[in-house]
Amino acid sequence: MKTWWLGALVLLTGLGAEAQAASRVPGRPHPVMSPLETAATACFAETILSNPAAMRHARAGRWYEAAGVIGFLCRPEVDAMVRAHDGLHGRGTGERFFRTAYTRHLGEELAGRLLPMLTRQDVASAEPAPDKAETDKPAE
């Protein structure tokens, strides 16, 4: 049992060192942060779609307000992103990153994900769509 814990500790320590060793290239997301940012943004987008008040803001192009209505529901994803940033760049930097750099681009990301769904014209119909072959037949 002790060897299992020791192995897990070595693995986690090694992953942390590897993450910190990855070089930071300005203008490019950090390999550790990128999937966490994507997960947080996906949560915001999905949750906005399921909340009528957030959808009203989104339809009006008020993305920050839309995310603010439902933001507490995405707290686990945001917290994971903040913790990872703190681990990479020092304590307290994650919250600052979330409130500045991440939220600065959140509106653009949400618009890119949600605008196609907001502008699509969906019409419900009880009848199945006609087949091409049926529409090409001459009337009898």
Side-chain angles (χ1 to χ4, degrees):
M1 184 71 169
K2 284 182 181 181
T3 56
W4 182 84
W5 281 106
L6 183 60
L9 180 63
V10 168
L11 178 64
L12 288 174
T13 305
L15 290 176
E18 182 179 307
Q20 289 203 357
S23 62
R24 175 76 173 113
V25 178
R28 270 203 192 156
H30 192 283
V32 170
M33 292 299 297
S34 187
L36 297 170
E37 291 174 34
T38 300
T41 304
C43 178
F44 281 115
E46 291 167 15
T47 310
I48 286 170
L49 286 173
S50 66
N51 184 293
M55 282 295 288
R56 281 191 294 279
H57 286 299
R59 283 192 178 96
R62 297 186 306 266
W63 302 106
Y64 186 77
E65 290 85 351
V69 169
I70 51 83
F72 65 96
L73 295 170
C74 297
R75 198 70 217 174
E77 289 82 358
V78 170
D79 286 346
M81 183 173 56
V82 167
R83 280 191 309 274
H85 198 282
D86 282 351
L88 291 168
H89 304 288
R91 187 178 174 132
T93 62
E95 193 65 38
R96 192 169 39 252
F97 167 76
F98 172 70
R99 295 194 184 284
T100 58
Y102 177 77
T103 55
R104 187 177 311 127
H105 299 288
L106 181 59
E108 295 169 18
E109 292 293 322
L110 291 173
R113 288 173 184 246
L114 298 178
L115 272 178
M117 290 177 239
L118 295 175
T119 57
R120 186 175 61 204
Q121 297 293 325
D122 287 347
V123 177
S125 174
E127 296 181 20
D131 284 342
K132 174 95 171 122
E134 290 179 13
T135 59
D136 290 344
K137 283 169 71 179
E140 294 178 26

